[in-house]
Amino acid sequence: MQNVKLDPAPVEVEVEVPGLHWAGFAGVVVLVLATWLPLPSVLVVALGVIGMAAFVVSWLLLGRRAADVSVRRLYTIAGLVSLPLLAARPLFSGDVYSYLAQGVIAAKGLDPYALGPAAALGAASPVTLQVSHYWQDTPAPYGPAFVGLSRVIAHLVGESVVGTVLLHRLLELIGVVLLAWALPRLARRAGVPPSVAVWLGLLNPLVLWHVVVGVHNDGLMIGLTVAGLELVYLGAARAGAARPALIAAGVVLVSAGANVKIVAVAALCFVGVDLARRARPAGKAAVLVGLPVGFALVTVLITLGSGLGFGWVRALAGVSSGAVHSWLAPTNELGFLVGGVGKLAGLDLTDSAIKVFSAVGAVAGLVVGARLLWLTYQERLHPLLGAGLAFAAMLVLGPVVQPWYLLWMIALLAVSLTTERARWILAGVSAVLALVLPPAGGGAVALVVGYLIAAGVVGATLHLRRASLLQPV
Protein backbone atom coordinates (compact mmCIF):
# COMPACT_ATOMS: atom_id res chain seq x y z
CA MET A 1 0.00 0.00 0.00
CA GLN A 2 1.31 3.42 -0.92
CA ASN A 3 0.55 6.36 1.33
CA VAL A 4 -0.49 9.68 -0.12
CA LYS A 5 2.64 11.67 -0.88
CA LEU A 6 2.33 15.15 0.47
CA ASP A 7 5.41 16.86 -0.93
CA PRO A 8 5.61 16.07 -4.65
CA ALA A 9 8.73 17.22 -6.44
CA PRO A 10 8.31 17.64 -10.20
CA VAL A 11 10.91 15.87 -12.29
CA GLU A 12 10.62 16.18 -16.05
CA VAL A 13 12.70 15.05 -18.98
CA GLU A 14 12.45 15.89 -22.64
CA VAL A 15 12.61 13.51 -25.57
CA GLU A 16 11.50 13.90 -29.13
CA VAL A 17 8.39 12.14 -30.42
CA PRO A 18 8.88 12.71 -34.16
CA GLY A 19 5.78 12.43 -36.30
CA LEU A 20 3.42 11.01 -33.67
CA HIS A 21 1.73 14.27 -32.73
CA TRP A 22 1.51 15.35 -36.37
CA ALA A 23 -0.10 12.04 -37.33
CA GLY A 24 -2.67 12.58 -34.59
CA PHE A 25 -3.17 16.18 -35.68
CA ALA A 26 -3.76 15.05 -39.28
CA GLY A 27 -6.33 12.52 -38.07
CA VAL A 28 -8.20 15.20 -36.14
CA VAL A 29 -8.20 17.50 -39.19
CA VAL A 30 -9.65 14.69 -41.33
CA LEU A 31 -12.37 14.14 -38.71
CA VAL A 32 -13.32 17.82 -38.65
CA LEU A 33 -13.33 18.22 -42.44
CA ALA A 34 -15.33 15.02 -42.94
CA THR A 35 -18.07 16.29 -40.64
CA TRP A 36 -18.06 19.86 -41.99
CA LEU A 37 -18.07 19.25 -45.74
CA PRO A 38 -21.32 18.40 -47.58
CA LEU A 39 -20.44 14.74 -48.15
CA PRO A 40 -22.67 11.65 -48.41
CA SER A 41 -23.33 10.04 -45.05
CA VAL A 42 -21.24 7.00 -45.92
CA LEU A 43 -18.19 9.16 -46.57
CA VAL A 44 -18.78 11.22 -43.45
CA VAL A 45 -18.70 8.06 -41.36
CA ALA A 46 -15.82 6.44 -43.25
CA LEU A 47 -13.55 9.50 -43.28
CA GLY A 48 -14.52 10.45 -39.74
CA VAL A 49 -13.65 7.00 -38.39
CA ILE A 50 -10.40 6.94 -40.40
CA GLY A 51 -9.41 10.26 -38.83
CA MET A 52 -10.39 9.00 -35.37
CA ALA A 53 -8.37 5.82 -35.88
CA ALA A 54 -5.32 7.82 -37.00
CA PHE A 55 -5.39 9.79 -33.77
CA VAL A 56 -6.06 6.74 -31.58
CA VAL A 57 -3.15 4.80 -33.12
CA SER A 58 -0.77 7.75 -32.73
CA TRP A 59 -1.95 8.21 -29.14
CA LEU A 60 -1.27 4.56 -28.33
CA LEU A 61 2.19 4.75 -29.91
CA LEU A 62 2.91 7.90 -27.94
CA GLY A 63 1.93 6.01 -24.80
CA ARG A 64 4.87 3.66 -25.25
CA ARG A 65 7.19 6.64 -24.70
CA ALA A 66 5.01 8.76 -22.44
CA ALA A 67 7.14 8.22 -19.35
CA ASP A 68 10.08 9.85 -21.16
CA VAL A 69 8.17 12.86 -22.48
CA SER A 70 7.88 16.04 -20.41
CA VAL A 71 4.51 17.14 -19.12
CA ARG A 72 5.01 20.48 -20.86
CA ARG A 73 5.50 18.73 -24.20
CA LEU A 74 2.31 16.73 -23.69
CA TYR A 75 0.44 19.95 -22.90
CA THR A 76 1.68 21.34 -26.22
CA ILE A 77 0.51 18.25 -28.10
CA ALA A 78 -2.88 18.41 -26.37
CA GLY A 79 -3.27 22.05 -27.42
CA LEU A 80 -2.21 21.26 -30.97
CA VAL A 81 -4.70 18.45 -31.55
CA SER A 82 -7.48 20.38 -29.79
CA LEU A 83 -7.26 23.41 -32.09
CA PRO A 84 -9.10 21.89 -35.08
CA LEU A 85 -11.75 20.43 -32.76
CA LEU A 86 -12.61 23.88 -31.43
CA ALA A 87 -13.84 24.80 -34.90
CA ALA A 88 -15.93 21.63 -35.31
CA ARG A 89 -19.62 21.36 -34.80
CA PRO A 90 -20.72 19.18 -31.84
CA LEU A 91 -20.02 15.54 -32.69
CA PHE A 92 -20.81 12.12 -31.20
CA SER A 93 -23.83 13.42 -29.30
CA GLY A 94 -26.38 16.22 -29.33
CA ASP A 95 -26.54 16.73 -25.57
CA VAL A 96 -25.40 20.34 -25.92
CA TYR A 97 -28.77 21.07 -27.55
CA SER A 98 -30.44 19.78 -24.39
CA TYR A 99 -28.26 22.21 -22.45
CA LEU A 100 -29.54 24.95 -24.74
CA ALA A 101 -33.15 24.00 -24.08
CA GLN A 102 -32.67 23.75 -20.32
CA GLY A 103 -30.98 27.14 -20.23
CA VAL A 104 -33.76 28.75 -22.28
CA ILE A 105 -36.42 27.18 -20.05
CA ALA A 106 -34.72 28.54 -16.93
CA ALA A 107 -34.18 31.94 -18.54
CA LYS A 108 -37.92 32.18 -19.22
CA GLY A 109 -38.60 31.71 -15.51
CA LEU A 110 -39.94 28.18 -15.90
CA ASP A 111 -38.82 25.16 -13.89
CA PRO A 112 -36.35 23.03 -15.92
CA TYR A 113 -36.60 20.31 -13.27
CA ALA A 114 -40.34 19.91 -13.75
CA LEU A 115 -40.74 20.53 -17.49
CA GLY A 116 -39.04 19.02 -20.49
CA PRO A 117 -38.34 21.08 -23.63
CA ALA A 118 -41.58 20.04 -25.38
CA ALA A 119 -43.80 20.94 -22.43
CA ALA A 120 -41.99 24.18 -21.61
CA LEU A 121 -41.20 25.55 -25.06
CA GLY A 122 -43.64 23.69 -27.28
CA ALA A 123 -43.07 20.68 -29.49
CA ALA A 124 -42.70 22.92 -32.56
CA SER A 125 -40.15 25.26 -30.97
CA PRO A 126 -36.87 25.47 -32.94
CA VAL A 127 -35.06 24.86 -29.65
CA THR A 128 -37.09 21.74 -28.88
CA LEU A 129 -36.54 20.39 -32.39
CA GLN A 130 -32.78 20.56 -31.83
CA VAL A 131 -33.12 18.17 -28.89
CA SER A 132 -33.07 14.41 -29.48
CA HIS A 133 -36.60 12.97 -29.43
CA TYR A 134 -35.48 10.74 -26.54
CA TRP A 135 -35.10 13.77 -24.27
CA GLN A 136 -37.76 16.22 -25.46
CA ASP A 137 -40.03 15.27 -22.56
CA THR A 138 -37.27 14.88 -19.96
CA PRO A 139 -36.61 17.55 -17.30
CA ALA A 140 -33.01 18.60 -16.65
CA PRO A 141 -31.04 15.81 -14.89
CA TYR A 142 -28.14 18.07 -13.89
CA GLY A 143 -27.31 19.94 -10.72
CA PRO A 144 -28.16 23.60 -10.11
CA ALA A 145 -24.58 24.76 -10.75
CA PHE A 146 -24.70 23.59 -14.34
CA VAL A 147 -28.30 24.52 -15.11
CA GLY A 148 -27.62 27.94 -13.57
CA LEU A 149 -24.66 28.39 -15.95
CA SER A 150 -26.84 27.25 -18.86
CA ARG A 151 -29.36 29.92 -17.89
CA VAL A 152 -26.63 32.58 -17.89
CA ILE A 153 -25.61 31.47 -21.38
CA ALA A 154 -29.24 31.64 -22.52
CA HIS A 155 -29.49 35.19 -21.18
CA LEU A 156 -26.34 36.11 -23.13
CA VAL A 157 -27.09 34.49 -26.50
CA GLY A 158 -30.79 33.66 -26.35
CA GLU A 159 -31.73 30.72 -28.55
CA SER A 160 -28.63 30.97 -30.74
CA VAL A 161 -27.26 27.47 -31.39
CA VAL A 162 -23.83 28.77 -32.43
CA GLY A 163 -23.52 31.05 -29.40
CA THR A 164 -24.64 28.29 -27.06
CA VAL A 165 -22.15 25.78 -28.48
CA LEU A 166 -19.27 28.26 -28.25
CA LEU A 167 -19.98 29.31 -24.67
CA HIS A 168 -20.63 25.77 -23.45
CA ARG A 169 -17.43 24.66 -25.16
CA LEU A 170 -15.64 27.42 -23.26
CA LEU A 171 -17.11 26.08 -20.01
CA GLU A 172 -15.86 22.59 -20.79
CA LEU A 173 -12.42 23.92 -21.69
CA ILE A 174 -12.25 25.37 -18.19
CA GLY A 175 -12.75 21.81 -16.97
CA VAL A 176 -9.99 20.60 -19.28
CA VAL A 177 -7.58 23.25 -17.96
CA LEU A 178 -8.37 22.22 -14.38
CA LEU A 179 -7.79 18.60 -15.37
CA ALA A 180 -4.44 19.48 -16.95
CA TRP A 181 -3.37 21.34 -13.80
CA ALA A 182 -4.38 18.62 -11.34
CA LEU A 183 -3.38 15.39 -13.10
CA PRO A 184 0.42 15.59 -12.77
CA ARG A 185 0.19 16.82 -9.19
CA LEU A 186 -2.14 14.03 -8.07
CA ALA A 187 -0.05 11.49 -9.98
CA ARG A 188 3.07 12.43 -8.00
CA ARG A 189 1.13 11.95 -4.77
CA ALA A 190 0.18 8.42 -5.82
CA GLY A 191 3.61 7.46 -7.15
CA VAL A 192 2.65 7.53 -10.84
CA PRO A 193 4.84 9.23 -13.49
CA PRO A 194 3.14 12.60 -14.13
CA SER A 195 3.64 12.46 -17.90
CA VAL A 196 1.99 9.03 -18.05
CA ALA A 197 -1.03 10.38 -16.15
CA VAL A 198 -1.27 13.36 -18.53
CA TRP A 199 -1.02 11.08 -21.58
CA LEU A 200 -3.70 8.72 -20.26
CA GLY A 201 -5.99 11.25 -18.59
CA LEU A 202 -5.71 14.42 -20.69
CA LEU A 203 -4.67 13.33 -24.17
CA ASN A 204 -7.12 10.43 -24.01
CA PRO A 205 -9.25 10.43 -27.19
CA LEU A 206 -12.41 10.21 -25.07
CA VAL A 207 -11.53 13.61 -23.57
CA LEU A 208 -11.05 15.12 -27.02
CA TRP A 209 -14.12 13.50 -28.55
CA HIS A 210 -16.61 14.02 -25.75
CA VAL A 211 -15.41 17.16 -23.98
CA VAL A 212 -13.52 19.35 -26.45
CA VAL A 213 -15.71 18.62 -29.46
CA GLY A 214 -18.68 16.81 -27.89
CA VAL A 215 -19.22 19.56 -25.27
CA HIS A 216 -20.32 17.21 -22.49
CA ASN A 217 -20.56 18.69 -19.03
CA ASP A 218 -18.68 15.69 -17.67
CA GLY A 219 -15.53 17.65 -18.55
CA LEU A 220 -16.45 20.49 -16.21
CA MET A 221 -17.52 18.06 -13.49
CA ILE A 222 -14.34 15.98 -13.52
CA GLY A 223 -12.12 19.07 -13.85
CA LEU A 224 -13.65 20.62 -10.73
CA THR A 225 -13.40 17.30 -8.91
CA VAL A 226 -9.73 16.52 -9.53
CA ALA A 227 -8.72 20.14 -8.90
CA GLY A 228 -10.62 20.02 -5.62
CA LEU A 229 -8.92 16.78 -4.61
CA GLU A 230 -5.51 18.31 -5.27
CA LEU A 231 -6.37 21.35 -3.13
CA VAL A 232 -7.53 19.10 -0.29
CA TYR A 233 -4.29 17.14 -0.31
CA LEU A 234 -2.24 20.29 -0.74
CA GLY A 235 -3.94 21.66 2.36
CA ALA A 236 -3.36 18.41 4.25
CA ALA A 237 0.38 18.89 3.68
CA ARG A 238 0.40 22.43 5.06
CA ALA A 239 0.39 23.83 8.56
CA GLY A 240 -1.19 26.91 10.04
CA ALA A 241 -4.05 28.90 8.55
CA ALA A 242 -3.33 27.67 5.02
CA ARG A 243 -4.30 24.12 5.95
CA PRO A 244 -8.05 24.58 6.65
CA ALA A 245 -8.34 27.24 3.93
CA LEU A 246 -6.98 24.94 1.21
CA ILE A 247 -8.99 21.95 2.41
CA ALA A 248 -12.15 24.07 2.47
CA ALA A 249 -11.42 25.36 -1.04
CA GLY A 250 -10.96 21.79 -2.23
CA VAL A 251 -14.25 20.70 -0.69
CA VAL A 252 -15.97 23.64 -2.38
CA LEU A 253 -14.60 22.64 -5.79
CA VAL A 254 -15.53 18.96 -5.44
CA SER A 255 -18.97 19.98 -4.17
CA ALA A 256 -19.36 22.31 -7.14
CA GLY A 257 -18.51 19.37 -9.41
CA ALA A 258 -21.22 17.34 -7.69
CA ASN A 259 -23.62 20.20 -8.36
CA VAL A 260 -22.90 19.68 -12.05
CA LYS A 261 -23.28 15.90 -11.86
CA ILE A 262 -24.01 14.32 -8.50
CA VAL A 263 -21.67 11.34 -9.07
CA ALA A 264 -18.69 13.54 -8.13
CA VAL A 265 -19.69 13.23 -4.48
CA ALA A 266 -18.13 9.74 -4.49
CA ALA A 267 -14.68 11.30 -4.72
CA LEU A 268 -15.41 13.38 -1.63
CA CYS A 269 -16.30 10.23 0.29
CA PHE A 270 -12.90 8.69 -0.40
CA VAL A 271 -10.88 11.77 0.43
CA GLY A 272 -12.93 12.13 3.62
CA VAL A 273 -12.20 8.56 4.70
CA ASP A 274 -8.50 9.05 3.95
CA LEU A 275 -8.27 12.31 5.91
CA ALA A 276 -10.16 10.75 8.82
CA ARG A 277 -7.74 7.81 8.83
CA ARG A 278 -4.72 10.10 9.06
CA ALA A 279 -6.26 12.47 11.62
CA ARG A 280 -5.64 12.30 15.34
CA PRO A 281 -8.43 10.63 17.33
CA ALA A 282 -9.92 13.97 18.28
CA GLY A 283 -9.91 15.09 14.67
CA LYS A 284 -11.56 12.03 13.09
CA ALA A 285 -15.06 13.10 14.05
CA ALA A 286 -14.37 16.64 12.82
CA VAL A 287 -13.39 15.28 9.39
CA LEU A 288 -16.24 12.75 9.13
CA VAL A 289 -18.77 15.41 10.12
CA GLY A 290 -17.11 18.46 8.58
CA LEU A 291 -16.84 17.19 4.99
CA PRO A 292 -20.52 16.14 4.64
CA VAL A 293 -21.61 19.37 6.31
CA GLY A 294 -19.34 21.34 3.98
CA PHE A 295 -20.78 19.56 0.95
CA ALA A 296 -24.33 20.16 2.16
CA LEU A 297 -23.62 23.84 2.85
CA VAL A 298 -22.10 24.40 -0.60
CA THR A 299 -25.01 22.57 -2.23
CA VAL A 300 -27.61 24.61 -0.36
CA LEU A 301 -25.84 27.87 -1.19
CA ILE A 302 -25.59 26.96 -4.90
CA THR A 303 -29.22 25.83 -4.99
CA LEU A 304 -30.55 28.91 -3.23
CA GLY A 305 -28.20 31.23 -5.11
CA SER A 306 -29.33 29.85 -8.45
CA GLY A 307 -32.98 30.33 -7.54
CA LEU A 308 -33.75 27.00 -9.22
CA GLY A 309 -35.00 25.26 -6.10
CA PHE A 310 -34.45 21.68 -4.98
CA GLY A 311 -36.38 20.07 -7.82
CA TRP A 312 -33.08 18.77 -9.18
CA VAL A 313 -33.04 16.16 -6.39
CA ARG A 314 -36.37 14.82 -7.58
CA ALA A 315 -35.25 14.96 -11.21
CA LEU A 316 -32.28 12.70 -10.42
CA ALA A 317 -34.68 9.83 -9.71
CA GLY A 318 -35.86 9.92 -13.32
CA VAL A 319 -32.28 9.57 -14.57
CA SER A 320 -31.33 6.77 -12.21
CA SER A 321 -34.39 4.82 -13.25
CA GLY A 322 -33.00 4.59 -16.76
CA ALA A 323 -35.96 5.96 -18.71
CA VAL A 324 -34.00 5.26 -21.91
CA HIS A 325 -32.41 1.81 -21.84
CA SER A 326 -28.69 2.09 -22.51
CA TRP A 327 -27.22 -0.72 -24.60
CA LEU A 328 -23.79 -0.23 -23.04
CA ALA A 329 -25.01 -0.84 -19.48
CA PRO A 330 -24.27 -4.47 -18.48
CA THR A 331 -27.38 -4.63 -16.27
CA ASN A 332 -29.51 -3.60 -19.25
CA GLU A 333 -27.81 -6.15 -21.50
CA LEU A 334 -28.80 -8.89 -19.07
CA GLY A 335 -32.35 -7.54 -19.18
CA PHE A 336 -32.34 -7.55 -22.98
CA LEU A 337 -31.07 -11.14 -22.91
CA VAL A 338 -33.87 -12.28 -20.61
CA GLY A 339 -36.36 -10.30 -22.69
CA GLY A 340 -35.14 -11.99 -25.87
CA VAL A 341 -35.55 -15.43 -24.32
CA GLY A 342 -38.99 -14.41 -23.08
CA LYS A 343 -40.08 -13.40 -26.56
CA LEU A 344 -39.40 -16.93 -27.75
CA ALA A 345 -42.04 -18.03 -25.27
CA GLY A 346 -44.38 -15.20 -26.20
CA LEU A 347 -43.69 -13.20 -23.05
CA ASP A 348 -42.77 -9.51 -22.77
CA LEU A 349 -40.18 -9.55 -19.99
CA THR A 350 -37.68 -6.93 -21.14
CA ASP A 351 -38.75 -3.94 -19.03
CA SER A 352 -39.32 -6.03 -15.91
CA ALA A 353 -36.00 -7.83 -16.31
CA ILE A 354 -34.14 -4.55 -16.75
CA LYS A 355 -35.74 -3.17 -13.59
CA VAL A 356 -34.75 -6.26 -11.62
CA PHE A 357 -31.15 -6.28 -12.87
CA SER A 358 -30.88 -2.52 -12.30
CA ALA A 359 -32.03 -2.98 -8.69
CA VAL A 360 -29.54 -5.81 -8.21
CA GLY A 361 -26.83 -3.59 -9.74
CA ALA A 362 -27.69 -0.74 -7.38
CA VAL A 363 -27.39 -2.99 -4.32
CA ALA A 364 -24.15 -4.51 -5.62
CA GLY A 365 -22.82 -1.02 -6.29
CA LEU A 366 -23.45 0.02 -2.69
CA VAL A 367 -21.69 -3.10 -1.43
CA VAL A 368 -18.70 -2.53 -3.71
CA GLY A 369 -18.51 1.14 -2.75
CA ALA A 370 -18.61 0.33 0.96
CA ARG A 371 -15.90 -2.29 0.51
CA LEU A 372 -13.66 0.15 -1.36
CA LEU A 373 -14.12 2.76 1.35
CA TRP A 374 -13.20 0.21 4.01
CA LEU A 375 -10.07 -0.85 2.12
CA THR A 376 -9.11 2.80 1.81
CA TYR A 377 -9.55 3.34 5.53
CA GLN A 378 -7.37 0.30 6.21
CA GLU A 379 -4.61 1.73 3.97
CA ARG A 380 -4.93 -1.23 1.64
CA LEU A 381 -6.11 0.97 -1.21
CA HIS A 382 -4.96 4.39 -2.31
CA PRO A 383 -7.88 6.85 -1.95
CA LEU A 384 -7.54 8.08 -5.53
CA LEU A 385 -7.54 4.51 -6.81
CA GLY A 386 -10.51 3.72 -4.59
CA ALA A 387 -12.46 6.64 -6.03
CA GLY A 388 -11.56 5.62 -9.57
CA LEU A 389 -12.66 2.04 -8.93
CA ALA A 390 -15.89 3.33 -7.39
CA PHE A 391 -16.62 5.25 -10.60
CA ALA A 392 -15.81 2.09 -12.57
CA ALA A 393 -18.30 0.16 -10.42
CA MET A 394 -20.95 2.79 -11.19
CA LEU A 395 -20.42 2.14 -14.89
CA VAL A 396 -20.46 -1.65 -14.65
CA LEU A 397 -23.42 -1.83 -12.26
CA GLY A 398 -25.37 1.31 -13.19
CA PRO A 399 -28.48 1.53 -15.39
CA VAL A 400 -27.10 4.09 -17.86
CA VAL A 401 -23.68 4.04 -19.54
CA GLN A 402 -22.34 6.33 -22.25
CA PRO A 403 -18.76 6.45 -23.62
CA TRP A 404 -18.19 9.86 -22.01
CA TYR A 405 -19.09 8.42 -18.59
CA LEU A 406 -15.71 6.68 -18.68
CA LEU A 407 -14.16 10.10 -18.07
CA TRP A 408 -15.27 9.81 -14.44
CA MET A 409 -12.95 6.89 -13.82
CA ILE A 410 -10.24 7.63 -16.39
CA ALA A 411 -8.99 10.79 -14.67
CA LEU A 412 -8.65 9.17 -11.25
CA LEU A 413 -7.29 5.86 -12.51
CA ALA A 414 -4.77 7.70 -14.70
CA VAL A 415 -3.20 9.20 -11.57
CA SER A 416 -3.41 6.09 -9.38
CA LEU A 417 -2.74 2.96 -11.46
CA THR A 418 0.82 2.06 -10.59
CA THR A 419 1.35 -0.92 -12.92
CA GLU A 420 1.97 -0.62 -16.64
CA ARG A 421 -0.35 -3.53 -17.35
CA ALA A 422 -3.30 -1.86 -15.61
CA ARG A 423 -2.66 1.41 -17.44
CA TRP A 424 -2.59 -0.34 -20.80
CA ILE A 425 -5.85 -2.11 -20.03
CA LEU A 426 -7.42 1.29 -19.37
CA ALA A 427 -5.82 2.66 -22.55
CA GLY A 428 -7.18 -0.29 -24.54
CA VAL A 429 -10.71 0.22 -23.23
CA SER A 430 -10.43 3.92 -24.04
CA ALA A 431 -9.21 3.19 -27.57
CA VAL A 432 -12.05 0.75 -28.30
CA LEU A 433 -14.76 3.05 -26.96
CA ALA A 434 -13.19 5.98 -28.82
CA LEU A 435 -13.92 4.17 -32.07
CA VAL A 436 -17.27 2.44 -31.50
CA LEU A 437 -19.34 5.63 -31.54
CA PRO A 438 -19.47 7.34 -34.97
CA PRO A 439 -18.93 11.12 -35.10
CA ALA A 440 -22.29 11.63 -36.81
CA GLY A 441 -25.34 9.59 -37.71
CA GLY A 442 -26.70 8.76 -41.10
CA GLY A 443 -28.72 5.59 -40.90
CA ALA A 444 -27.83 1.94 -40.40
CA VAL A 445 -26.61 1.37 -43.96
CA ALA A 446 -24.30 4.40 -43.89
CA LEU A 447 -22.87 3.33 -40.53
CA VAL A 448 -22.21 -0.27 -41.56
CA VAL A 449 -20.72 0.60 -44.95
CA GLY A 450 -18.77 3.54 -43.54
CA TYR A 451 -17.20 1.42 -40.80
CA LEU A 452 -16.35 -1.34 -43.30
CA ILE A 453 -14.60 1.18 -45.56
CA ALA A 454 -12.73 2.68 -42.60
CA ALA A 455 -11.71 -0.77 -41.32
CA GLY A 456 -10.39 -1.68 -44.76
CA VAL A 457 -8.37 1.52 -45.12
CA VAL A 458 -6.95 1.38 -41.60
CA GLY A 459 -6.16 -2.32 -41.86
CA ALA A 460 -4.41 -1.90 -45.22
CA THR A 461 -2.42 1.07 -43.92
CA LEU A 462 -1.23 -0.80 -40.82
CA HIS A 463 -0.34 -3.82 -42.95
CA LEU A 464 1.72 -1.73 -45.35
CA ARG A 465 3.38 0.05 -42.45
CA ARG A 466 4.29 -3.26 -40.82
CA ALA A 467 5.59 -4.64 -44.13
CA SER A 468 7.80 -1.59 -44.67
CA LEU A 469 9.30 -2.00 -41.20
CA LEU A 470 10.15 -5.63 -41.94
CA GLN A 471 11.91 -4.86 -45.21
CA PRO A 472 15.71 -5.34 -45.00
CA VAL A 473 17.67 -2.12 -45.13
Side-chain angles (χ1 to χ4, degrees):
M1 166 63 195
Q2 294 172 326
N3 291 322
V4 175
K5 298 180 179 179
L6 298 178
D7 294 304
V11 177
E12 294 186 1
V13 295
E14 185 71 58
V15 301
E16 291 299 317
V17 282
L20 292 180
H21 57 294
W22 290 114
F25 178 79
V28 168
V29 170
V30 170
L31 168 63
V32 173
L33 291 178
T35 52
W36 260 120
L37 298 175
L39 300 173
S41 297
V42 171
L43 286 181
V44 171
V45 174
L47 291 174
V49 173
I50 289 170
M52 292 157 57
F55 176 80
V56 169
V57 171
S58 69
W59 175 69
L60 291 172
L61 292 174
L62 178 61
R64 297 168 62 183
R65 309 176 65 178
D68 298 321
V69 182
S70 72
V71 169
R72 181 174 299 179
R73 182 65 179 274
L74 291 173
Y75 285 163
T76 301
I77 295 173
L80 175 71
V81 297
S82 295
L83 281 177
L85 296 176
L86 297 178
R89 63 184 178 88
L91 303 177
F92 303 101
S93 164
D95 280 10
V96 69
Y97 304 119
S98 292
Y99 306 162
L100 164 64
Q102 292 153 14
V104 170
I105 291 170
K108 290 180 177 292
L110 302 174
D111 186 356
Y113 295 120
L115 302 171
L121 306 175
S125 165
V127 173
T128 301
L129 294 176
Q130 294 282 347
V131 179
S132 168
H133 67 277
Y134 290 114
W135 309 117
Q136 289 185 1
D137 297 313
T138 304
Y142 310 116
F146 184 75
V147 176
L149 290 170
S150 297
R151 180 179 60 189
V152 170
I153 290 174
H155 279 304
L156 291 174
V157 300
E159 300 181 2
S160 168
V161 172
V162 174
T164 296
V165 169
L166 290 176
L167 290 180
H168 271 287
R169 185 165 281 164
L170 178 61
L171 267 184
E172 301 315 314
L173 288 178
I174 293 173
V176 172
V177 170
L178 291 173
L179 186 66
W181 175 79
L183 283 178
R185 290 166 172 81
L186 289 173
R188 294 186 190 104
R189 299 184 187 282
V192 172
S195 57
V196 172
V198 172
W199 164 74
L200 185 53
L202 179 68
L203 263 173
N204 194 298
L206 293 177
V207 174
L208 298 178
W209 294 176
H210 300 303
V211 178
V212 178
V213 72
V215 205
H216 280 285
N217 58 10
D218 302 77
L220 180 61
M221 181 271 282
I222 199 64
L224 289 168
T225 300
V226 296
L229 293 176
E230 168 57 20
L231 287 180
V232 168
Y233 281 120
L234 185 62
R238 299 291 179 87
R243 179 184 176 90
L246 286 169
I247 291 176
V251 171
V252 168
L253 283 187
V254 178
S255 301
N259 277 265
V260 173
K261 278 194 167 183
I262 192 62
V263 292
V265 76
L268 197 61
C269 294
F270 281 86
V271 75
V273 165
D274 184 50
L275 291 179
R277 174 189 61 78
R278 294 193 284 115
R280 294 187 178 91
K284 291 184 184 294
V287 172
L288 293 175
V289 173
L291 261 66
V293 169
F295 167 74
L297 180 61
V298 172
T299 299
V300 169
L301 290 175
I302 290 175
T303 302
L304 295 178
S306 69
L308 294 169
F310 289 89
W312 65 278
V313 178
R314 180 185 65 250
L316 289 176
V319 178
S320 62
S321 67
V324 176
H325 299 321
S326 168
W327 279 93
L328 287 177
T331 53
N332 286 354
E333 290 173 359
L334 291 172
F336 288 130
L337 178 61
V338 171
V341 173
K343 286 183 180 179
L344 297 177
L347 301 174
D348 186 5
L349 301 176
T350 303
D351 286 341
S352 298
I354 288 177
K355 289 180 181 178
V356 170
F357 284 116
S358 294
V360 171
V363 173
L366 290 174
V367 172
V368 170
R371 176 64 175 168
L372 292 171
L373 284 169
W374 178 243
L375 291 175
T376 299
Y377 187 78
Q378 290 185 311
E379 294 188 73
R380 294 167 59 189
L381 195 66
H382 193 286
L384 298 175
L385 179 58
L389 293 175
F391 282 134
M394 290 183 194
L395 298 178
V396 173
L397 300 170
V400 181
V401 176
Q402 300 290 359
W404 48 92
Y405 289 7
L406 267 76
L407 299 175
W408 309 347
M409 72 173 191
I410 284 173
L412 289 170
L413 292 182
V415 301
S416 59
L417 291 176
T418 55
T419 67
E420 188 174 355
R421 182 174 182 270
R423 290 194 288 262
W424 277 107
I425 289 174
L426 183 59
V429 172
S430 300
V432 170
L433 288 178
L435 294 174
V436 296
L437 192 65
V445 174
L447 292 178
V448 172
V449 175
Y451 265 93
L452 288 175
I453 294 172
V457 171
V458 173
T461 302
L462 292 177
H463 176 74
L464 291 173
R465 173 63 175 166
R466 180 174 181 273
S468 67
L469 292 175
L470 294 177
Q471 289 293 327
V473 178

